[in-house]
């Protein structure tokens, strides 16, 4: 093999990159052997008639100057000059599967370093580009992206759209010409466009087809696109976006793209998720080893702003009886916070509500054997707050303009040292003073005109937020943080490096949660997905669901309860105890196993499971989302178990209505008779499904015998 070609080898995938004459990814896909110089020669492209006279490579940062007419890898200028750089290879540093490739344009005075790592255990590829200004005059960067090529056969794309209380809704499209683009300018990761998507071969599914998945790990504005060139070649680009003039580099200064995490799977979407989940578990989440994720009770939907410490202690006592392990007081504990109109910024205990301080509540919770958690929304300020009255100039805003409020609040400018220090002091003091194990960190509005000293400053704001987390984490390494932004508005890998879980959605409706959680499961393992049992009547949708459907829907994530347990009926309370107990039994499996989403012909039934990494056991949930399309639901083919092993099937939980509702004269035999089936049978023939009522679910377990 020629020296200019580097072959990175994963467990199931490979990446082959050429550095000369230009830096270009030649191959990224299924594991390949026999990579020789001659083989590389075999993929040298033809030059078609009627176009430029030379081959036009899509390099790691595609350049217009090489004749590439699609979106370049970067755009910028120096007072109008140096606007069309062409980067020549300089050096490569290799440490196993970790590459640093340096390229330079001496005329434009720019250096571009591409850093690539292929994780040999999980096959997740990490890429980022760093641009440095080499000249004395300032360089303005308008765009800087990571570019990854895709083969022509990857002609279908699946991405997510969403909104508040409806995150992670998938959509699919054919990408035959032109391409696809999604953009977020809301100042946080956003409910609207999760910065990630998957592209694959025609009709790729959960279990079938080749899939390439991408995620831009960034909590600010972003753009992702997938292009089909007119010659048929394809590539994906992912970048943080900048406002005009936001990024200027003085001599020697650099800017890096966020990390892009990507994975290739020859086994459909499930294979991609396995790669991402294992990578996230090993390399993204900083969670204490061997610590289990405690079952939560969060007070929000139970009492909202109505904080009475005596009553809260009653709630805690009841929560402990139900099996709850961590009790969290949500919004409403700080000075003057009686509704969402006032007080954000005044992070001092409301002594009218808590005349004896917070200690009695904390001590009560701790005395019951539970951990204590508390809600904060540090980046925000209400105009009606002492903080605003004292520091109206602390806003992230542009002088002279009146920007709209969102939930009656503005955003603080974290790049002002006095703001950063104030928030650090408030959080640090609160975490030092009380025995707090967990902070729910909220962020409830979108960012408009993010100005710092007159300049656009969203990039700096996002980085300052990371710095604030980093400093707090260093001071309080045992405190766990939840990333919440009106539910799922800030869900990405970069914030996850500093937090421990997400509040998936403000929507606790079990039916809606089935879709939201499935959408989130493509990139995130169950243990970071906050999933709480809400009230019987969902506050967001007014739908009513049985405790069975709610319990089973919440079971698969980081479980909790979001209601007032004191007011709940005895039947409901028995249900909470039942599902909390079940969750605790299954938690080691759920929070470490392989997530599988099963391809099923009827979209009215959703089947998902978790299989132990050693394939010794598994749980599968059958969720009937709508009326079954046919009178029978067919067989569930439960893939992913060891085909050579036998498994004993047991029913862990079934809808009360299944045996009383009269939809079946006869149930499938395995519901009542003990059965042991091979992994091969389960995957290929499967088990006959019962007919379930809409909005009900059934849980089974398989244990190797
Ligand atoms: C946001 C969060 C909720 C709750 C409220 C409190 O909406 O997503 O869970 O914490 O704020 O104001």
């Amino acid at each position: 093999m020629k020296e200019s070609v580097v072959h990175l080898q994963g467990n199931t995938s490979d990446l082959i990159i050429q550095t000369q004459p230009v830096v270009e990814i030649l191959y990224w896909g299924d594991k390949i052997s026999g990579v020789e110089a001659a083989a590389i020669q075999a993929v040298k492209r033809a030059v078609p008639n009627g176009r430029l006279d030379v081959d036009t490579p899509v390099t790691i940062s595609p350049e217009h100057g090489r004749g590439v007419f699609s979106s370049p890898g970067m755009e910028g200028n120096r007072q109008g000059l140096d606007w069309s750089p062409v980067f020549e290879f300089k050096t490569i540093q290799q440490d196993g599967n970790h590459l640093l490739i340096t390229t330079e344009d001496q005329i434009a005075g720019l250096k571009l370093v591409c850093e690539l790592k292929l994780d040999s255990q999980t096959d997740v590829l990490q890429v980022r580009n760093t641009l440095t200004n080499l000249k004395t005059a300032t360089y303005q960067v308008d765009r800087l992206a990571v570019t990854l090529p895709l083969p022509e056969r990857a002609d279908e794309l699946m991405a997510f759209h969403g909104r508040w209380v409806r995150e992670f809704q998938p959509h699919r499209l054919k990408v035959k010409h032109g391409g696809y683009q999604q953009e977020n300018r809301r100042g946080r990761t956003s409910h609207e466009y999760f910065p990630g998507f998957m592209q694959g071969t025609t009709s790729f599914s959960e279990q079938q087809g080749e899939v390439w998945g991408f995620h831009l790990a960034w909590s600010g504005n972003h753009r992702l696109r997938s292009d089909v060139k007119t010659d048929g070649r394809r590539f994906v680009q992912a970048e943080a976006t900048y406002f005009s003039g936001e990024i200027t580099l003085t001599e020697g200064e650099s800017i890096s793209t966020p990390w892009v995490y990507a994975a290739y799977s020859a086994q459909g979407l499930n294979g991609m998720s396995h790669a991402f989940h294992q990578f996230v578990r090993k390399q993204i989440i900083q969670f204490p080893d061997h610590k289990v994720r405690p079952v939560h009770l969060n007070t929000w939907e139970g009492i909202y702003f109505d904080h009475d410490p005596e009553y809260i202690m009653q709630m805690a006592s009841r929560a402990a009886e139900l099996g709850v392990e961590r009790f969290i007081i949500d919004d409403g504990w700080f000075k003057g916070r009686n509704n969402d109109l006032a007080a954000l910024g005044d992070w001092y205990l409301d002594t009218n509500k808590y005349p004896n301080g917070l200690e009695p509540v904390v001590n009560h919770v701790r005395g019951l054997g539970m951990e204590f958690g508390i809600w904060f929304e540090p980046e925000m300020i209400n105009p009606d707050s002492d903080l605003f009255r004292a520091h109206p100039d602390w806003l992230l805003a542009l002088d002279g303009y009146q920007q709209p409020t969102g939930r009656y609040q503005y955003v603080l400018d974290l790049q002002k040292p006095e703001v950063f220090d104030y928030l650090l002091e408030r959080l640090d003091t609160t975490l030092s003073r009380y025995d707090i194990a967990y902070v729910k960190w909220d962020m409830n509005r979108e960012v408009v005109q993010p100005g710092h000293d007159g300049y656009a400053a969203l990039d700096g704001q996002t980085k300052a937020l990371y710095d604030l987390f980093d400093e707090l984490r260093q001071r309080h390494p045992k405190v766990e943080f939840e990333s919440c932004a009106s539910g799922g508005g800030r869900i990405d890998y970069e914030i996850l490096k500093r937090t421990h879980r997400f509040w998936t959605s403000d929507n606790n409706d079990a039916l809606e949660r089935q879709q939201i959680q499935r959408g989130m499961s493509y990139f995130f393992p169950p243990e970071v997905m906050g999933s709480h049992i809400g009230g019987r009547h969902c506050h967001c949708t007014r739908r009513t669901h049985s405790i069975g459907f709610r319990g089973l829907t919440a079971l698969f994530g980081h479980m909790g309860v979001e209601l007032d347990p004191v007011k709940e009926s005895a039947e409901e309370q028995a249900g909470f105890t039942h599902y909390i107990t079940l969750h605790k039994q299954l938690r080691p499996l759920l929070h470490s196993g392989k997530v599988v989403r099963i391809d099923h012909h009827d979209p009215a039934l959703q089947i998902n499971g978790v299989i132990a990494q050693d394939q010794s056991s598994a749980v599968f949930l059958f969720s009937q989302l709508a009326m079954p399309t046919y009178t029978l639901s067919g067989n569930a083919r439960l893939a992913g178990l060891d085909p050579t092993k036998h498994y004993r099937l047991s029913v862990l939980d079934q809808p009360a209505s299944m045996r009383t509702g009269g939809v079946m004269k006869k149930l499938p035999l395995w519901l009542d008779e003990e059965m042991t089936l091979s992994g091969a049978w389960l995957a290929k023939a499967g088990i006959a499904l019962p007919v379930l009522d809409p909005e009900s679910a059934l849980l089974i377990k398989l244990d190797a015998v």
Side-chain angles (χ1 to χ4, degrees):
M1 202 160 84
K2 267 197 354 209
E3 265 172 24
S4 63
V5 173
V6 185
H7 184 177
L8 302 186
Q9 307 205 37
N11 199 10
T12 58
S13 68
D14 282 2
L15 181 113
I16 300 171
I17 185 162
Q18 154 197 285
T19 55
Q20 290 182 64
V22 293
V23 186
E24 188 187 358
I25 292 173
L26 299 181
Y27 178 88
W28 173 36
D30 212 2
K31 244 191 134 32
I32 199 166
S33 58
V35 183
E36 297 129 13
I40 301 299
Q41 297 307 318
V43 292
K44 291 270 181 263
R45 283 175 292 268
V47 176
N49 245 330
R51 303 178 69 118
L52 297 178
D53 298 332
V54 292
D55 176 52
T56 53
V58 176
T59 63
I60 45 149
S61 183
E63 299 125 314
H64 181 74
R66 290 191 195 276
V68 173
F69 298 116
S70 26
S71 170
M74 64 141 295
E75 290 175 76
N77 72 88
R78 200 186 306 276
Q79 296 278 333
L81 302 176
D82 299 334
W83 56 275
S84 183
V86 175
F87 294 97
E88 302 296 345
F89 172 75
K90 280 281 166 196
T91 60
I92 179 163
Q93 276 169 266
Q94 182 171 10
D95 178 9
N97 268 359
H98 185 179
L99 300 180
L100 270 181
I101 303 171
T102 303
T103 64
E104 219 173 278
D105 178 339
Q106 285 179 348
I107 302 168
L110 294 169
K111 178 168 84 172
L112 186 97
V113 177
C114 178
E115 188 172 0
L116 279 138
K117 294 187 216 181
L118 179 64
D119 183 50
S120 54
Q121 280 178 5
T122 63
D123 288 90
V124 168
L125 175 70
Q126 256 175 275
V127 195
R128 73 170 169 191
N129 287 336
T130 300
L131 184 77
T132 307
N133 176 18
L134 303 176
K135 285 190 188 170
T136 44
T138 299
Y139 193 83
Q140 175 175 320
V141 183
D142 297 331
R143 286 187 50 238
L144 180 63
V146 163
T147 307
L148 287 169
L150 282 176
E152 289 79 354
R153 64 187 183 280
D155 66 355
E156 236 174 87
L157 186 145
M158 174 174 163
F160 304 96
H161 62 277
R163 64 170 173 91
W164 176 61
V165 297
R166 199 156 190 269
E167 296 83 346
F168 284 107
Q169 304 295 312
H171 54 266
R172 284 180 84 120
L173 47 133
K174 271 273 176 210
V175 275
K176 286 290 192 192
H177 302 282
Y180 167 82
Q181 177 166 301
Q182 62 177 55
E183 199 168 294
N184 162 51
R185 294 171 183 250
R186 289 168 193 271
R188 57 184 180 188
T189 319
S190 89
H191 300 82
E192 281 70 13
Y193 289 111
F194 170 71
F197 60 65
M198 304 63 116
Q199 205 163 324
T201 45
T202 308
S203 305
F204 69 84
S205 69
E206 304 296 351
Q207 296 169 246
Q208 308 279 331
E210 287 184 286
V211 174
W212 290 259
F214 306 87
H215 169 50
L216 178 85
W218 185 241
S219 316
N221 290 342
H222 47 80
R223 182 185 300 121
L224 271 74
R225 56 188 292 162
S226 168
D227 277 64
V228 185
K229 290 171 62 60
T230 52
D231 59 25
R233 281 181 293 168
R234 283 142 201 280
F235 65 89
V236 163
Q237 252 177 11
E239 63 203 270
T241 58
Y242 310 124
F243 289 100
S244 191
E246 184 169 4
I247 307 295
T248 50
L249 305 178
T250 56
E251 187 179 10
E253 256 192 313
S254 303
I255 175 98
S256 297
T257 62
W259 282 107
V260 170
Y261 296 89
Y264 165 78
S265 158
Q267 282 158 359
L269 292 159
N270 283 339
M272 178 205 79
S273 294
H274 296 161
F276 281 130
H277 291 187
Q278 286 310 87
F279 182 82
V280 165
R281 285 170 170 161
K282 292 205 172 83
Q283 304 211 24
I284 301 281
I285 310 172
Q286 316 276 317
F287 194 75
D289 276 353
H290 312 302
K291 186 171 180 212
V292 293
R293 306 240 172 199
V295 173
H296 283 189
L297 187 134
N298 188 55
T299 58
W300 180 241
E301 291 193 15
I303 54 169
Y304 294 104
F305 297 102
D306 195 6
H307 285 217
D308 166 1
E310 290 304 322
Y311 191 74
I312 287 179
M313 288 192 271
Q314 270 188 57
M315 288 172 76
S317 300
R318 191 59 57 84
E321 285 161 20
L322 301 174
V324 167
E325 297 162 309
R326 180 185 278 158
F327 187 86
I328 301 121
I329 59 165
D330 205 284
D331 198 354
W333 61 268
F334 49 100
K335 210 171 64 167
R337 184 69 169 172
N338 300 317
N339 49 44
D340 58 7
L341 296 168
L344 288 177
D346 299 343
W347 302 109
Y348 295 87
L349 186 70
D350 190 330
T351 48
N352 290 328
K353 290 183 187 171
Y354 293 86
N356 303 320
L358 197 58
E359 284 85 354
V361 175
V362 180
N363 293 341
H364 182 75
V365 169
R366 299 291 293 127
L368 290 164
M370 296 185 291
E371 293 181 1
F372 180 78
I374 196 164
W375 182 93
F376 268 97
E377 195 181 358
E379 297 145 81
M380 297 295 158
I381 182 167
N382 284 117
D384 185 0
S385 65
D386 291 346
L387 190 71
F388 186 83
R389 284 180 280 275
H391 303 287
D393 57 327
W394 278 14
L395 304 191
L396 183 72
L398 277 187
D399 281 352
Y401 294 88
Q402 187 62 50
Q403 61 158 282
T405 51
R407 208 192 186 196
Y408 318 105
Q409 62 201 52
Y410 291 118
V411 185
L412 288 165
D413 180 357
L414 301 185
Q415 286 173 96
K416 276 197 198 312
E418 55 277 30
V419 174
F420 189 94
D421 293 346
Y422 168 75
L423 293 175
L424 183 60
E425 186 279 324
R426 281 293 77 217
L427 281 148
D428 186 23
T429 303
T430 312
L431 296 182
S432 306
R433 173 152 179 200
Y434 308 107
D435 187 0
I436 293 173
Y438 173 88
V439 172
K440 174 174 178 177
W441 184 303
D442 216 331
M443 198 284 197
N444 282 316
R445 65 154 292 173
E446 292 151 336
V447 187
V448 176
Q449 274 186 339
H452 169 74
D453 292 343
Y455 293 97
L458 189 75
D459 184 71
Q461 173 81 2
T462 311
K463 288 172 180 162
L465 171 74
Y466 293 153
D467 290 345
L468 186 56
F469 266 114
D470 291 343
E471 185 56 41
L472 273 167
R473 295 260 306 124
Q474 218 197 321
R475 293 187 191 189
H476 301 278
K478 294 212 167 107
V479 175
E480 289 166 40
F481 290 89
E482 176 181 69
S483 171
C484 173
S486 306
R490 193 151 63 193
I491 297 182
D492 62 78
Y493 286 4
E494 199 55 43
I495 201 79
L496 188 56
K497 289 175 189 168
R498 298 154 174 93
T499 53
H500 302 88
R501 61 166 240 166
F502 298 106
W503 184 225
T504 307
S505 178
D506 276 352
N507 196 339
N508 283 325
D509 176 315
L511 182 61
E512 299 294 329
R513 274 290 185 133
Q514 285 281 341
Q515 179 51 63
I516 295 168
Q517 294 178 184
R518 173 167 276 228
M520 186 168 167
S521 80
Y522 289 98
F523 288 88
F524 297 89
E527 62 269 27
V528 301
M529 190 159 67
S531 53
H532 294 180
I533 304 178
R536 191 173 173 79
H537 297 274
C538 173
H539 294 195
C540 288
T541 60
R542 324 273 166 207
R543 273 201 199 104
T544 300
H545 286 126
S546 67
I547 179 61
F549 190 49
R550 284 180 288 142
L552 289 177
T553 303
L555 194 81
F556 276 68
H558 180 180
M559 193 182 182
V561 198
E562 181 102 12
L563 38 74
D564 174 2
V566 177
K567 296 220 171 78
E568 296 292 333
S569 69
E571 189 195 341
E572 284 280 301
Q573 298 205 28
F576 306 147
T577 306
H578 170 72
Y579 289 104
I580 290 172
T581 308
L582 191 55
H583 175 78
K584 287 180 183 170
Q585 273 165 20
L586 298 175
R587 180 164 54 187
L589 165 63
L590 296 173
H591 290 179
S592 69
K594 271 187 176 186
V595 168
V596 282
R597 295 167 300 260
I598 299 293
D599 287 328
H600 190 65
H601 68 281
D602 185 0
L605 183 76
Q606 184 160 284
I607 308 175
N608 61 286
V610 178
I611 301 176
Q613 298 288 347
D614 65 1
Q615 295 172 305
S616 60
S617 63
V619 281
F620 282 93
L621 182 69
F622 307 111
S623 307
Q624 193 69 46
L625 305 184
M627 192 66 183
T629 306
Y630 308 99
T631 45
L632 289 172
S633 288
N635 289 355
R637 305 194 317 141
L638 305 175
L641 292 153
D642 183 341
T644 64
K645 282 193 180 133
H646 274 73
Y647 294 87
R648 192 181 46 250
L649 193 163
S650 46
V651 179
L652 292 188
D653 203 65
Q654 49 191 298
S657 62
M658 194 173 70
R659 289 170 191 275
T660 55
V663 279
M664 287 174 285
K665 287 187 184 138
K666 195 171 169 198
L667 273 57
L669 288 180
W670 57 266
L671 277 157
D672 292 307
E673 283 174 24
E674 185 153 306
M675 276 197 197
T676 301
L677 300 161
S678 74
W681 179 272
L682 285 162
K684 296 197 165 130
I687 54 171
L689 283 160
V691 182
L692 296 176
D693 281 337
E695 296 164 38
S696 72
L698 171 73
L699 183 72
I700 65 160
K701 185 146 191 279
L702 295 158
D703 289 289
V705 291

